[in-house]
Amino acid sequence: MPAPQRYAVAASGQWTDEEDGRRLPAGEVHAWERGLNQTVCGLSLSRSQLRRFPHITWADTFPESGAAADRVRRVCPRCASVAGRRGPDARPRWKRIDPRP
């Protein structure tokens, strides 16, 4: 079984944390696979003017993680469907309750 994919973050904006001086994503965030010039949903990084954050993982962009999500305004729903969405508003995985014979 293959190892789970670890996605980095590409965002429309950035800000610097005053405590530790790290660059953090802001605005709309997308899942990004290192080594590629596009997001998981297919947006070109350069044409969309997205900034890369290879030191931030995808799971850190959700508000419930408490990590780098302070100024994230929107999480791309297409990227979230591929890379995974964890949180209170995440829909449960599809499950067949009463299968037909």
Side-chain angles (χ1 to χ4, degrees):
M1 189 165 192
Q5 182 69 31
R6 293 196 52 172
Y7 294 101
V9 175
S12 61
Q14 72 178 10
W15 66 286
T16 304
D17 188 12
E18 295 172 0
E19 292 178 7
D20 57 5
R22 288 188 336 161
R23 272 185 337 118
L24 297 172
E28 182 174 358
V29 294
H30 295 267
W32 166 59
E33 198 171 341
R34 290 180 187 94
L36 298 180
N37 276 336
Q38 67 180 12
T39 62
V40 174
C41 66
L43 290 177
S44 170
L45 293 174
S46 60
R47 288 186 182 183
S48 302
Q49 297 180 349
L50 296 173
R51 293 170 180 87
R52 297 174 179 102
F53 297 89
H55 58 283
I56 305 291
T57 62
W58 176 248
D60 289 339
T61 60
F62 299 114
E64 57 274 3
S65 72
D70 291 344
R71 298 197 184 165
V72 171
R73 297 289 174 235
R74 182 175 184 266
V75 175
C76 173
R78 293 185 294 174
C79 288
S81 69
V82 173
R85 172 75 169 123
R86 296 169 188 86
D89 61 335
R91 287 185 282 165
R93 294 184 184 255
W94 184 84
K95 181 180 175 185
R96 185 180 298 268
I97 305 293
D98 189 15
R100 289 188 258 168

